[in-house]
Amino acid sequence: QALEEQYSPSRWSPRLGRDAIIQAHLAATAAGTQRARASAQTSLHVPYGDSDGEKLDIYFPMDPSGTFPALVYIHGGYWQCLSKDESGFAAPPLVSQGVAVVAVGYDIAPKGHMDAMVLQVRRSLAFLVERYSRIRGIYLCGHSAGAHLAAMVLSTDWTEYGVAPDIKGAVLVSGVYDLEPILHTYVNDALNMSREVAQRNSPMLCVTPAVPAATACEVLVAVAQHDSPEFRRQSQEYSQALRTAGWSVSLLDLAGVDHFDIIEKLSEESYVLTQVGEELPSSL
């Protein structure tokens, strides 16, 4: 019961009740995505594979002549809800600064299972690199379950894919990095993970020693003041594990936000995580 509480992010927000906070989150991200689609040059539903979920929404920079960095956004929803279709809300402030934003779709549970989702997100990056030669430098951004998937991308052996994406940085927001506790909660009802699957897909257990390319990759692990103690513990322990393995990592503990508005605010020009994104062109 205690574990169920800890892994129910909607119970920890001081702003709104459990159902209301989720409805507000859906409304905020959907409205932000509508604004982005109205204002940016887009390629929507670009297939990177054959499955229904294997599609990308790409928001191009205002002036896409020459090369540009790309922020690849992986949505949350506990691997079983949400989609790329309301994941473009971060685009407006970034495309105006010359950064492309790519929202990744993947097959959520129960259709998708954990091994397949991790594989899909990795393949989506390989596709981007092969298809869009003007992208220079990829930055990963994932929220909640999406932060887990982005963290799994960091442990990818790219030799299997025949490409080496130039991943310059990762912003992992309110993520889950050890799936073992999830096995004992309602979240696993749809996922149906075994212990082996959970271990194989836990970023905490897949941290690779930082090779030269990885040391150039800046990882920012962000967690909300009003995330549950378990979510906060996971962020602290994962960032420490990366640091121990030689990665360049910062832990950002954001005051005054919860599990939901910590990511919704990416639609705001003045938000600290947006400013991290806006610094990408100059960091290149």
Side-chain angles (χ1 to χ4, degrees), residues 249-264:
V249 60
S250 315
L251 179 65
L252 186 62
D253 193 337
L254 285 170
V257 288
D258 59 38
H259 188 82
F260 302 95
D261 58 355
I262 189 174
I263 197 73
E264 292 163 13

Side-chain angles (χ1 to χ4, degrees), residues 138-142 150 154 167-172 217-221:
I138 287 176
Y139 296 79
L140 299 170
C141 178
L154 296 180
I167 299 174
K168 297 280 193 187
V171 182
L172 309 176
C217 173
E218 299 271 341
V219 182
L220 179 63
V221 179

Side-chain angles (χ1 to χ4, degrees), residues 29 32-33 36-37 57 59 73 84-92 101 103:
T29 53
T33 300
R37 289 183 174 186
D57 285 349
Y59 300 79
Y73 180 77
K84 70 170 180 55
D85 297 337
E86 59 278 315
S87 298
F89 56 90
V101 173

Side-chain angles (χ1 to χ4, degrees), residues 18 38 51-52 55 58 65-66 111 125-126 137 143-144 148 151 153 160 187 194 214 217-219 234 252 258:
R18 288 178 59 189
S51 176
D52 290 346
K55 294 187 172 67
I58 305 173
S65 57
K111 180 183 181 182
L125 274 146
H143 173 237
S144 198
H148 157 268
V153 169
E160 297 172 28
V187 181
S194 65
C217 173
E218 299 271 341
V219 182
Q234 288 229 14
L252 186 62
D258 59 38

Side-chain angles (χ1 to χ4, degrees), residues 3-12 18 78 186 231:
L3 213 54
E4 294 265 332
E5 288 266 328
Q6 288 287 330
Y7 286 95
S8 300
S10 57
R11 296 186 183 192
W12 296 85
R18 288 178 59 189
Y78 258 158
Y186 70 95
F231 269 86

Side-chain angles (χ1 to χ4, degrees), residues 64-141:
S65 57
T67 59
F68 47 85
L71 181 95
V72 175
Y73 180 77
I74 307 166
H75 71 81
Y78 258 158
W79 308 277
Q80 56 199 279
C81 55
L82 300 181
S83 73
K84 70 170 180 55
D85 297 337
E86 59 278 315
S87 298
F89 56 90
L94 295 176
V95 297
S96 66
Q97 299 288 332
V99 181
V101 173
V102 181
V104 178
Y106 53 93
D107 285 319
I108 55 175
K111 180 183 181 182
H113 51 91
M114 191 58 73
D115 288 321
M117 290 184 237
V118 170
L119 187 62
Q120 284 176 328
V121 171
R122 289 169 169 166
R123 281 189 15 248
S124 76
L125 274 146
F127 169 84
L128 261 185
V129 172
E130 289 174 335
R131 173 82 182 269
Y132 297 96
S133 58
R134 296 210 319 256
I135 291 176
R136 286 286 179 277
I138 287 176
Y139 296 79
L140 299 170
C141 178

Side-chain angles (χ1 to χ4, degrees), residues 38-56:
S39 62
Q41 183 191 341
T42 59
S43 288
L44 303 178
H45 319 303
V46 178
Y48 65 86
D50 298 329
S51 176
D52 290 346
E54 296 181 299
K55 294 187 172 67
L56 307 173

